[in-house]
């Protein structure tokens, strides 16, 4: 049987008031199952709801509806107040380490603070800090440093160490390499893979960088305007994409190979500048979709299994 | 190569202090011919943006200053011309598009009036400016150019704004377009469209384009020639094809290897460069990459290499021939 670390069901988040008519469905009916020790990748462009998803999972915001279970235990998601129980199980690493670390706190103080907040300060606090730093590949001397004395890669390591301090089950990584220099991205990715294997951690890896998501994830969900439009094993999603949006995303990846560039160009002419502010009755991707049929404008497709766990939400793809 | 349209020669940019000067751009030379597409690749702190700002004299002076060098536009040294001439060049013969388009527009003015203002500043009559504005907004592929013209920046999406910025840059029919990471703030599918748009416009007008980016993937698809910068210097110059096929500098080679490509095994360890890019104001003697380099030899610690020819129009600032790696 599959060992499930996290199960989210029908998560939805609506911003704005119904009365004012200014509602935004940031997230609609998103269900995810994260297998223990595996990486679940979420890809999508800005505004697709991937960061809202991250914020709901770690309890920074409460969903409008839906449920969350960690290790089979239902978690109560509340809007305000103490979410510490949740924070012990699931931690978030942000994109920009410099804006998520307090510039006036040394690395040591930042780590001590989280341990204290969660009542985890043991006798050998300094030893624990050394241990956390070594886990992320930093020497003990970094404990004395302030964020401005760290490089981008080092600061992100500290942010990861801080997330690991509470020994969480799940780590939500929201674009963890996007703010870093190209030459240090690989080392953060390698570090994440190593820590995962050592600690049997479960990752939710959120990124717009498809080649990174493909590299690190076991399973992938593609999001578009607050919905999951395709999900499956990484090889299913990347080698046999079913949704036209996934296909468009893949074709847009800049590949560092001029030969490949010359042979590309099949389907990149979707009218991307059409911004759909409000979900219409039909498929949210229909206005941009090259395969759209009359039914797509009228009936919204639902996520259904096409083959062997590979799911897609598209009338056309499901028929073929 | 035909006569260069824009020629940057031995450019040095730095921070002068009372007793010493920190050099940040340390002798950069770049030639661009009409119609050429050149990529300038480098990480943050490599000096790529400062070099481009120095070309149009938009460096924050003080504290920064051009210490030495020439920027020749068709034989005219832009570092020596007066303010009046400079205003005609900026946004006229040389147009620029920057990374964060939202902060480049005035939030209180309609898009149309901002483009018209730029055109009028370059001598167009009111009627001509209006006509040209409509024309360029159409040209950059905006679905409803008339609506965009009368919109405020906050009413448009990031992709639309970047198209507007490109329309504005192209409105004066520049001979050189400098695009500094123009697509990093955008989503991949929109990025793709902007890149294709500029390439197709370039084919029509024959302008030279300098793409400044940290993304080798973008470079692969867009440019003919690539310049790789590291710690304020050019470390490799080559045709795009050659650079990807056979990089001649260990830094370029390591960068290419660190990207997860189509052939990279799932979850396998990616090639790490190790270390961090150096602080360009605190360089010691020798090659600035040597501490991160797998091929460094004794000589690298003492002497910084100049660009050495590697054949096929490729050159690298490295003491070691790739054949010896």
């Amino acid at each position: 049987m599959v060992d499930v670390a996290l199960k989210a069901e029908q998560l939805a988040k609506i911003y704005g008031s119904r009365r004012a008519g200014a509602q935004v469905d940031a997230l609609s009916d998103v269900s995810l199952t994260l297998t223990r020790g595996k990486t679940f990748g979420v890809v999508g462009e800005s505004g697709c709801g991937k960061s809202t998803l991250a914020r709901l999972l770690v309890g920074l915001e409460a969903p409008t509806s839906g449920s969350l279970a960690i290790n089979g235990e239902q978690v109560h998601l509340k809007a305000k107040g103490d979410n510490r129980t949740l924070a012990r199980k699931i931690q978030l690493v942000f994109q920009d380490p410099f804006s998520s670390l307090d510039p006036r706190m040394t690395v040591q103080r930042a780590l001590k603070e989280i341990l204290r907040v969660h009542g985890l300060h043991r006798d050998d606090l300094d030893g624990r800090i050394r241990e956390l730093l070594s886990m992320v590949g930093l020497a003990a001397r970094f404990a004395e440093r302030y964020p401005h004395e760290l490089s981008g890669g080092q600061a992100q390591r500290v942010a990861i160490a801080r997330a690991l301090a509470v020994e969480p089950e799940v780590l939500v990584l929201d674009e963890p390499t996007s703010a870093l220099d190209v030459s240090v991205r690989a080392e953060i990715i390698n570090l994440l893979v190593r820590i995962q294997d050592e600690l049997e951690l479960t990752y939710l890896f959120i990124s717009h960088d498809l080649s990174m998501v493909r590299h690190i994830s076991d399973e992938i969900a593609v999001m578009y305007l607050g919905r999951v439009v395709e999900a499956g094993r990484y090889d299913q999603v990347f080698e046999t994409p079913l949704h036209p949006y996934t296909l468009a995303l893949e074709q847009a990846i800049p590949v560092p190979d001029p030969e490949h560039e010359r042979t590309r160009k099949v389907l990149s002419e979707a009218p991307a500048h059409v911004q759909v502010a409000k979900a219409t009755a039909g498929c949210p991707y229909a206005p941009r979709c090259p395969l759209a049929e009359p039914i797509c404008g009228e009936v919204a497709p639902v996520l259904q299994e096409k083959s062997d766990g590979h799911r897609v939400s598209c009338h056309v793809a499901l028929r073929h | 190569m035909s006569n260069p349209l824009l020629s940057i020669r031995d450019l040095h940019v730095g921070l002068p202090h009372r007793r010493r000067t920190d050099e940040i751009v340390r002798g950069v030379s770049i030639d661009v011919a009409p119609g050429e597409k050149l990529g300038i690749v480098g990480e943050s702190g490599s000096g790529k943006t400062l070099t481009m700002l120095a070309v149009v004299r938009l460096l924050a002076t003080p504290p920064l200053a051009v210490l030495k060098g020439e920027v020749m536009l068709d034989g005219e040294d832009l570092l020596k011309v007066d303010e009046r001439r400079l205003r005609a060049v900026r946004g006229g013969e040389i147009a620029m598009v920057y990374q964060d388009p939202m902060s480049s527009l005035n939030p209180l003015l309609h898009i149309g009036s901002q483009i018209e203002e730029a055109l009028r500043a370059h001598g167009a009559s009111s009627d001509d400016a209006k006509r040209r504005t409509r024309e360029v907004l159409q040209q950059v592929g905006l679905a409803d150019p008339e609506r965009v013209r009368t919109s405020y920046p906050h009413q448009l999406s990031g992709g639309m704004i970047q198209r507007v910025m490109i329309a504005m840059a192209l409105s004066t029919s520049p001979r050189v377009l400098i695009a500094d990471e123009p697509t990093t703030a955008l989503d991949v599918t929109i990025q793709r469209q902007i890149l294709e748009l500029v390439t197709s416009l370039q084919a029509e007008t024959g302008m030279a384009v300098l793409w400044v980016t940290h993304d080798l993937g973008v470079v692969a698809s867009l440019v003919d020639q690539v310049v790789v910068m590291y710690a304020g210097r050019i470390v490799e110059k080559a045709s795009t094809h050659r650079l990807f096929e056979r990089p001649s500098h260990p830094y370029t080679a390591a960068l290419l290897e660190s990207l997860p490509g189509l052939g990279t095994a799932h979850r396998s360890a990616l090639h790490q460069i190790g270390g961090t890019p150096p602080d360009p104001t605190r360089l010691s003697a020798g090659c600035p990459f040597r501490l991160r380099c797998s091929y460094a030899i004794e000589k690298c610690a003492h002497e910084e290499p100049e660009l050495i020819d590697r054949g096929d129009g490729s050159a690298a600032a490295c003491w070691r021939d790739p054949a010896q790696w």
Side-chain angles (χ1 to χ4, degrees):
Chain A
M1 217 196 103
V2 192
D3 188 1
V4 174
L6 179 146
K7 197 174 175 72
E9 268 176 295
Q10 306 277 305
L11 282 182
K13 179 73 187 175
I14 299 171
Y15 289 110
S17 76
R18 210 167 292 245
R19 219 173 306 156
Q23 268 187 34
V24 178
D25 291 354
L27 213 61
S28 332
D29 295 337
V30 170
S31 302
L32 308 168
T33 306
L34 272 58
T35 312
R36 186 177 318 282
K38 302 281 184 196
T39 301
F40 193 101
V42 175
V43 280
E45 300 181 282
S46 58
C48 76
K50 55 192 198 295
S51 289
T52 304
L53 175 66
R55 297 173 67 81
L56 294 185
L57 291 180
V58 298
L60 285 173
E61 281 179 69
T64 310
S65 61
S67 67
L68 177 67
I70 296 180
N71 290 335
E73 250 175 79
Q74 209 64 35
V75 181
H76 180 52
L77 295 166
K78 43 191 171 183
K80 288 201 181 81
D82 195 356
N83 268 322
R84 250 179 269 182
T85 348
L86 184 59
R88 279 294 305 276
K89 294 177 181 159
I90 181 162
Q91 281 281 322
L92 176 61
V93 175
F94 295 93
Q95 175 172 352
D96 181 0
F98 292 109
S99 61
S100 62
L101 295 172
D102 187 330
R104 294 167 307 176
M105 273 193 195
T106 59
V107 168
Q108 179 158 240
R109 255 189 81 197
L111 293 175
K112 276 187 182 162
E113 186 188 46
I114 187 168
L115 291 168
R116 190 176 44 76
V117 166
H118 289 279
L120 296 169
H121 43 302
R122 307 169 190 164
D123 297 339
D124 186 14
L125 202 52
D126 291 334
R128 174 70 177 144
I129 286 167
R130 273 200 301 279
E131 187 188 9
L132 284 168
L133 288 176
S134 96
M135 233 185 261
V136 295
L138 289 176
R141 65 191 151 85
F142 281 94
E144 310 293 329
R145 302 236 183 136
Y146 285 93
H148 75 268
E149 297 171 303
L150 302 172
S151 70
Q154 290 161 352
Q156 195 58 296
R157 283 167 190 266
V158 171
I160 295 168
R162 188 178 54 179
L164 295 175
V166 302
E167 300 171 43
E169 305 274 341
V170 181
L171 222 50
V172 176
L173 304 154
D174 191 359
E175 303 265 9
T177 58
S178 306
L180 303 178
D181 265 320
V182 192
S183 73
V184 292
R185 282 183 192 172
E187 77 183 50
I188 293 296
I189 291 294
N190 290 348
L191 171 76
L192 288 170
V193 172
R194 202 197 74 219
I195 296 175
Q196 180 169 43
D197 292 344
E198 280 173 20
L199 305 175
E200 237 212 336
L201 272 169
T202 309
Y203 288 162
L204 186 77
F205 186 91
I206 298 175
S207 180
H208 70 277
D209 183 343
L210 275 82
S211 34
M212 274 309 177
V213 170
R214 174 178 54 195
H215 180 72
I216 197 173
S217 308
D218 300 288
E219 274 188 88
I220 290 171
V222 181
M223 289 186 63
Y224 187 75
L225 289 180
R227 287 156 212 266
V228 174
V229 296
E230 180 163 357
R233 279 198 324 268
Y234 79 96
D235 52 326
Q236 290 175 323
V237 174
F238 274 95
E239 277 155 36
T240 50
L242 295 173
H243 200 283
Y245 177 62
T246 313
L247 201 61
L249 274 184
E250 275 178 39
Q251 266 157 0
I253 309 179
V255 177
D257 173 3
E259 287 311 307
H260 181 274
E261 284 297 334
R262 255 162 231 136
T263 54
R264 109 148 89 216
K265 202 176 178 95
V266 191
L267 200 126
S268 61
E269 289 307 312
H273 48 273
V274 181
Q275 281 272 317
V276 189
K278 231 178 184 167
T280 47
C283 171
Y285 189 62
R288 282 175 73 175
C289 185
L291 308 176
E293 296 175 359
I295 187 179
C296 303
E298 289 151 21
V299 185
V302 281
L303 197 65
Q304 282 175 52
E305 181 161 333
K306 168 92 174 160
S307 63
D308 190 22
H310 191 179
R311 284 152 294 152
V312 66
S313 158
C314 171
H315 294 302
V316 181
L318 281 165
R319 205 176 47 226
H320 290 293
Chain B
M1 184 164 145
S2 57
N3 272 342
L5 174 60
L6 180 73
S7 174
I8 303 170
R9 289 183 202 159
D10 197 26
L11 184 74
H12 293 251
V13 176
L15 276 168
H17 301 289
R18 200 170 299 167
R19 291 214 181 81
R20 65 190 164 91
T21 297
D22 287 332
E23 257 188 66
I24 303 172
V25 174
R26 305 177 301 126
V28 166
S29 299
I30 293 170
D31 283 335
V32 196
E36 193 180 332
K37 293 176 245 182
L38 178 82
I40 300 174
V41 185
E43 299 182 85
S44 50
S46 64
K48 59 188 194 306
T49 296
L50 286 187
T51 304
M52 291 305 114
L53 288 176
V55 166
V56 282
R57 278 167 60 186
L58 283 174
L59 285 174
T61 338
L64 291 161
V66 171
L67 307 170
K68 200 181 147 190
E70 290 176 335
V71 176
M72 309 297 283
L73 177 69
D74 233 356
E76 183 183 20
D77 190 349
L78 296 182
L79 299 181
K80 296 214 173 75
V81 301
D82 61 14
E83 275 296 324
R84 206 188 137 103
R85 171 74 187 125
L86 197 58
R87 275 200 301 275
V89 171
R90 285 185 195 142
E93 285 149 271
I94 302 182
M96 296 142 285
V97 182
Y98 296 109
Q99 186 173 147
D100 181 6
M102 279 290 180
S103 65
S104 313
L105 287 173
N106 185 335
L108 301 176
L109 294 176
H110 283 148
I111 297 296
S113 52
Q114 299 193 51
I115 302 181
E116 281 163 32
E117 184 188 9
L119 281 163
R120 307 243 356 229
H122 287 282
S125 71
S126 176
D127 286 350
D128 283 351
K130 278 210 175 69
R131 186 185 46 75
R132 180 73 180 144
T133 300
R134 288 204 171 87
E135 199 174 279
V136 285
L137 286 174
Q138 188 113 44
Q139 229 178 2
V140 294
L142 285 160
D144 187 354
E146 204 43 43
R147 182 177 76 83
V148 172
R149 201 177 64 83
T150 53
S151 295
Y152 289 101
H154 77 269
Q155 294 172 308
L156 305 176
S157 72
M160 291 164 94
I161 291 277
Q162 196 55 287
R163 280 167 193 264
V164 166
M165 292 310 296
I166 290 172
M168 191 185 273
L170 297 175
S171 65
T172 55
S173 309
R175 300 164 72 193
V176 181
L177 176 72
I178 298 176
D180 191 351
E181 311 244 14
T183 59
T184 35
L186 302 176
D187 293 325
V188 272
T189 55
I190 293 158
Q191 219 179 75
R192 187 87 224 148
Q193 289 181 19
I194 299 275
L195 300 180
E196 273 164 19
L197 167 72
V198 172
T199 309
S200 73
L201 290 173
Q202 188 184 18
E204 282 167 34
T205 61
M207 88 191 148
V209 176
L210 282 92
W211 283 104
V212 182
T213 180
H214 68 271
D215 188 337
L216 280 166
V218 167
V219 159
S221 58
L222 281 176
V223 301
D224 320 315
Q225 293 285 323
V226 184
V227 159
V228 181
M229 287 187 69
Y230 190 80
R233 281 206 168 191
I234 292 175
V235 295
E236 180 161 0
K237 249 181 196 178
S239 71
T240 314
H241 188 79
R242 165 72 196 250
L243 189 93
F244 284 88
E245 191 81 12
R246 269 187 301 144
S248 307
H249 195 282
Y251 173 62
T252 319
L255 270 187
L256 286 171
E257 273 176 59
S258 76
L259 302 170
L262 295 167
T264 316
H266 190 235
R267 292 176 63 84
S268 62
L270 298 172
H271 177 79
Q272 279 181 213
I273 302 185
T276 47
D279 178 345
T281 63
R282 283 188 202 136
L283 296 175
S284 49
C287 171
F289 187 63
R290 72 178 190 283
L291 297 174
R292 308 174 76 186
C293 182
S294 338
Y295 310 109
I297 50 171
E298 182 63 25
K299 193 179 186 183
C300 306
H302 310 299
E303 250 180 285
E304 184 168 8
E306 296 289 323
L307 281 172
I308 299 165
D309 188 42
R310 297 276 186 238
D312 300 337
S314 152
C318 180
W319 293 121
R320 307 204 56 190
D321 194 285
Q324 305 165 335
W325 291 359

